[in-house]
Amino acid sequence: MKNKINQITIVYVLIAMFAVIVFHKLSLRFLHNESYPVFNFSKDLILVTFTALIFRYILTQNEKKSKTVLEKLKQTNNEIRESNEKYDIVAKATSDTIWDWNIAEDKLYWNKGIKGIFGYDQEEVGESSSWWFQNIHPEDSIKMSIKLYSFIEQKTENWQDEYRFKCADNTYKYVLDRGFLLKDENGKAIRMIGALQDITKRKEEELRLKLLETVILQTKDSIVITEAHFHKNKLPKIVYVNPAFTTMTGYESDEIIHKSPDFLSGPNTDPAIIKKIISAIKNYEECVIEMISYKKNGEEFWLHFSMIPIYNTDKELSHWISIQRDITAEKRQEKEREQLILELTRNNKDLKQFSYITSHNLRAPISNLMGLLALIEDITIDDIELKEILHGFNKSTHLLNETINDLTKVMIIKDNSSTLKETVSLKDIFENVFNQLSFQFDLHRPILKIDFDKVPTIIANKSYIESILLNLLSNALKYKSDKRNLKISITADQTDNLVTLKFKDNGIGIDLNRNKDKIFGLYQRFHDYPDSKGLGLYLVKSQIDAMDGTIEVDSEVDKGTTFTLTFKNK
């Protein structure tokens, strides 16, 4: 640089010397004064030399100033470039969305994060703050705007808030927005720079943890969390208990934290259970245990609890969690239930024995009565009143005999745990029943519709099917309507392995609103019919149950009744 200054100075001197020489020549030609021009020439040479020195000094000083300014400018440019590089690195490293808001001009700039996080292309992004506020969730917009403008008015430097910001696909993400305020020399806010951080996963995790915390605090089951390993040969120390534990045991949280749960055991606690717990902890195994434990006041209670090992992200055992429940009431009820079952079994056995004895002891006198009544039928009796008494006595005796026979059938069904099944013809069964009821059929002359074409045979207990058909047909004949001719329909159908038998009549029907729950009960009568014993449908239901079938009834008063029977045909 000095060479350049010297060069400029030399050029200046040469130009000035040339001008002085030219001026000197002109003075000699036109003034004709030899002494004066020589004096002036010398003076001019001295002046040129002096001005050249001054000029050189000025150039040197200016050069120094320019160099200083250039160095500062270079340094500033380097700082700006370094700052921009850091900005780009930070933007890439944090994956945040950076925004720059010129408050005075309401110009808002967004970096590439607006695309990466929220999915907006550059042409979709607005250039003013209104686009920003429009994409904030309506429930958060007013609150966030008030906080932001209050912050700007207070003129503090740092600001942050959490809200939901709309994505390009119209979904919302939770964001943490942090901003830094820049002010002019008068303290007026002129610019704000900030960064949006996607905290959706964190928020979801917070909500999940909040929900879990609520469940843990509100559940009626006791929850205990302990350390992972034994402490001085004792069970792992307790690190947390929920309020339900205090309710169950009487121990407050601060009384037992950092203590072993050994205090729950006592004199009647089974040592084998403790060994099972120790073994589960040593082998990192889940276990479910019931044991006798003790409350703070010494009260004994039954404790049911499960132990589950908890592992950290490195798959290392970090804690044990135990879910506990007081089952004293259940244990008491279980014991009472076992005692009740024992008593019911004994009573049932006694009743069954009583039924057999009664049935057996009644058969002999009833047989004698029927024999005597048969003998009396051969004797001519002229007394009409005596004849009616004997007729009523005969009828009652036969009815009692039928009742004993029905009860015997029921007891046989209840005693047999397995029912012999065979392939039977429905047509043959119906013919047998028809022959048994031929007198009633001749008397009432019902219109019959029998259709066994789709299912000619079924796999069932022959005697049960015959008894069921006999009872249902007897009821249809017995409870016919006097207003119309009796119609009876019996059809069979099959779907896969299920056979459906339908018995339908147009008799007097049953009031299901009053009697639906009593249809198949023992000794249930729904009509004032003199020969009704209330055993038929109970016997039908017992026989169907014995064959693993089902029966349904649909009936309307004075319209008729339909029974639907379903069996497995295998």
Side-chain angles (χ1 to χ4, degrees):
M1 188 62 73
K2 285 185 178 182
N3 291 335
K4 190 174 183 179
I5 294 173
N6 291 334
Q7 290 175 1
I8 294 173
T9 304
I10 291 170
V11 171
Y12 168 76
V13 170
L14 291 174
I15 293 173
M17 289 296 291
F18 178 76
V20 168
I21 293 171
V22 171
F23 182 73
H24 178 67
K25 292 293 185 182
L26 291 174
S27 297
L28 290 176
R29 177 177 293 183
F30 296 105
L31 294 177
H32 306 286
N33 186 348
E34 296 181 1
S35 61
Y36 178 76
V38 173
F39 172 77
N40 281 286
F41 179 72
S42 300
K43 185 180 65 173
D44 290 341
L45 287 176
I46 295 171
L47 181 61
V48 167
T49 303
F50 180 72
T51 56
L53 293 172
I54 294 174
F55 183 63
R56 186 178 184 282
Y57 175 78
I58 292 172
L59 287 175
T60 302
Q61 295 301 316
N62 286 337
E63 179 62 26
K64 289 180 179 179
K65 290 181 180 179
S66 297
K67 187 176 182 181
T68 302
V69 172
L70 185 62
E71 289 292 334
K72 288 183 178 180
L73 182 60
K74 185 177 180 181
Q75 183 179 355
T76 301
N77 288 336
N78 289 335
E79 290 176 353
I80 292 172
R81 184 174 63 255
E82 185 179 352
S83 177
N84 289 335
E85 289 175 353
K86 289 180 179 179
Y87 171 83
D88 291 337
I89 292 172
V90 170
K92 292 178 181 178
T94 61
S95 70
D96 290 349
T97 301
I98 310 297
W99 52 268
D100 189 345
W101 182 22
N102 186 327
I103 298 175
E105 298 178 7
D106 194 21
K107 295 290 185 180
L108 193 60
Y109 164 79
W110 300 83
N111 79 331
K112 295 180 181 179
I114 197 71
K115 169 69 175 176
I117 298 178
F118 302 102
Y120 289 105
D121 293 323
Q122 200 61 42
E123 60 272 12
E124 296 179 286
V125 180
E127 296 182 352
S128 67
S129 60
S130 60
W131 182 85
W132 178 19
F133 296 131
Q134 286 170 4
N135 284 292
I136 296 173
H137 195 284
E139 295 178 4
D140 302 334
S141 179
I142 297 176
K143 176 189 69 173
M144 181 269 182
S145 300
I146 292 173
K147 286 185 177 181
L148 179 61
Y149 283 109
S150 297
F151 159 75
I152 293 175
E153 290 299 322
Q154 292 171 2
K155 300 175 182 178
T156 54
E157 291 185 346
N158 298 314
W159 165 83
Q160 75 174 31
D161 197 6
E162 292 181 3
Y163 55 86
R164 286 164 287 180
F165 193 78
K166 185 191 289 185
C167 300
D169 59 1
N170 290 324
T171 60
Y172 284 90
K173 288 187 176 182
Y174 280 95
V175 296
L176 171 63
D177 199 353
R178 289 172 289 191
F180 180 79
L181 194 63
L182 300 178
K183 297 168 283 192
D184 60 14
E185 62 274 7
N186 298 320
K188 182 180 178 181
I190 58 172
R191 186 179 176 190
M192 191 172 180
I193 301 173
L196 286 176
Q197 181 182 1
D198 182 5
I199 59 169
T200 304
K201 290 184 178 179
R202 193 194 81 187
K203 274 290 183 181
E204 290 174 351
E205 185 66 16
E206 287 178 358
L207 292 173
R208 189 180 71 85
L209 291 175
K210 188 67 177 176
L211 179 61
L212 288 175
E213 181 184 8
T214 302
V215 171
I216 290 173
L217 292 176
Q218 298 298 325
T219 183
K220 294 182 179 180
D221 287 341
S222 168
I223 296 177
V224 179
I225 302 176
T226 69
E227 294 177 348
H229 306 290
F230 293 98
H231 180 73
K232 295 181 179 179
N233 296 324
K234 290 187 176 182
L235 296 177
K237 289 182 179 180
I238 296 172
V239 297
Y240 173 82
V241 293
N242 69 338
F245 181 85
T246 300
T247 303
M248 183 178 71
T249 65
Y251 289 100
E252 296 292 338
S253 175
D254 55 0
E255 294 181 276
I256 56 175
I257 296 297
H258 303 308
K259 291 183 179 180
S260 171
D262 295 334
F263 56 82
L264 290 174
S265 60
N268 292 328
T269 303
D270 188 351
I273 297 295
I274 303 300
K275 290 181 180 179
K276 185 178 179 180
I277 296 173
I278 293 172
S279 175
I281 294 174
K282 287 181 177 179
N283 297 317
Y284 305 157
E285 295 175 341
E286 296 183 19
C287 70
V288 179
I289 289 173
E290 292 181 358
M291 59 181 282
I292 295 176
S293 297
Y294 292 84
K295 299 182 180 182
K296 183 179 179 180
N297 61 5
E299 180 184 347
E300 189 176 282
F301 72 103
W302 273 96
L303 178 65
H304 171 95
F305 69 94
S306 59
M307 288 176 52
I308 304 171
I310 305 298
Y311 297 89
N312 58 23
T313 54
D314 296 326
K315 296 183 179 180
E316 297 174 344
L317 182 68
S318 62
H319 295 88
W320 287 89
I321 184 169
S322 175
I323 302 174
Q324 306 176 348
R325 185 162 50 90
D326 183 350
I327 59 168
T328 305
E330 288 91 332
K331 281 288 184 180
R332 188 183 302 114
Q333 291 174 358
E334 183 180 339
K335 188 174 181 180
E336 292 174 354
R337 185 167 57 251
E338 290 175 355
Q339 183 65 28
L340 182 60
I341 291 172
L342 184 63
E343 292 179 2
L344 287 174
T345 303
R346 185 169 57 249
N347 291 341
N348 188 45
K349 186 177 180 180
D350 293 343
L351 285 172
K352 189 181 295 184
Q353 192 68 25
F354 174 77
S355 299
Y356 279 123
I357 293 171
T358 303
S359 174
H360 181 269
N361 291 343
L362 286 176
R363 280 188 178 279
I366 289 176
S367 297
N368 292 333
L369 284 173
M370 292 179 67
L372 292 172
L373 288 171
L375 293 174
I376 292 175
E377 288 180 357
D378 296 334
I379 300 175
T380 303
I381 300 175
D382 297 328
D383 190 335
I384 297 175
E385 185 175 351
L386 178 60
K387 193 174 183 179
E388 288 180 357
I389 292 172
L390 291 173
H391 175 73
F393 186 68
N394 186 28
K395 187 175 181 181
S396 298
T397 302
H398 280 84
L399 186 60
L400 178 60
N401 184 55
E402 290 177 4
T403 301
I404 291 175
N405 288 334
D406 288 340
L407 287 173
T408 302
K409 290 179 182 179
V410 171
M411 286 187 292
I412 292 172
I413 293 171
K414 297 297 183 182
D415 278 347
N416 291 335
S417 56
S418 60
T419 302
L420 178 64
K421 293 184 179 181
E422 59 183 315
T423 301
V424 297
S425 169
L426 289 176
K427 183 178 179 181
D428 292 344
I429 294 291
F430 177 77
E431 288 179 355
N432 291 338
V433 172
F434 184 84
N435 290 332
Q436 295 179 55
L437 299 175
S438 59
F439 177 77
Q440 289 92 325
F441 277 109
D442 291 340
L443 180 64
H444 301 295
R445 296 186 177 277
I447 300 172
L448 295 175
K449 179 184 177 183
I450 311 299
D451 184 3
F452 297 144
D453 293 341
K454 293 182 180 179
V455 189
T457 61
I458 62 172
I459 300 174
N461 183 283
K462 183 177 180 181
S463 60
Y464 286 0
I465 291 294
E466 186 173 319
S467 175
I468 291 169
L469 187 58
L470 180 63
N471 271 292
L472 294 178
L473 283 173
S474 297
N475 284 346
L477 294 166
K478 189 183 300 182
Y479 303 113
K480 71 180 188 65
S481 173
D482 296 332
K483 302 177 183 178
R484 52 188 172 270
N485 291 333
L486 176 62
K487 294 181 180 181
I488 300 174
S489 170
I490 307 175
T491 60
D493 198 0
Q494 181 167 346
T495 303
D496 296 329
N497 289 326
L498 293 179
V499 172
T500 302
L501 295 179
K502 279 196 174 183
F503 295 78
K504 185 176 181 180
D505 67 60
N506 64 342
I508 59 178
I510 302 171
D511 187 352
L512 293 182
N513 292 329
R514 295 177 56 187
N515 304 305
K516 186 174 183 179
D517 297 333
K518 300 183 292 184
I519 290 290
F520 302 108
L522 186 62
Y523 299 124
Q524 296 296 325
R525 300 173 61 185
F526 312 111
H527 305 289
D528 295 331
Y529 191 83
D531 291 338
S532 177
K533 304 187 293 292
L535 277 170
L537 291 181
Y538 178 78
L539 182 60
V540 168
K541 181 68 165 59
S542 299
Q543 291 168 329
I544 290 174
D545 288 343
M547 293 188 292
D548 296 325
T550 61
I551 182 170
E552 296 178 357
V553 60
D554 183 24
S555 183
E556 282 189 63
V557 175
D558 203 32
K559 287 189 177 182
T561 303
T562 300
F563 290 95
T564 303
L565 284 65
T566 305
F567 304 96
K568 292 181 180 178
N569 196 19
K570 60 179 182 178

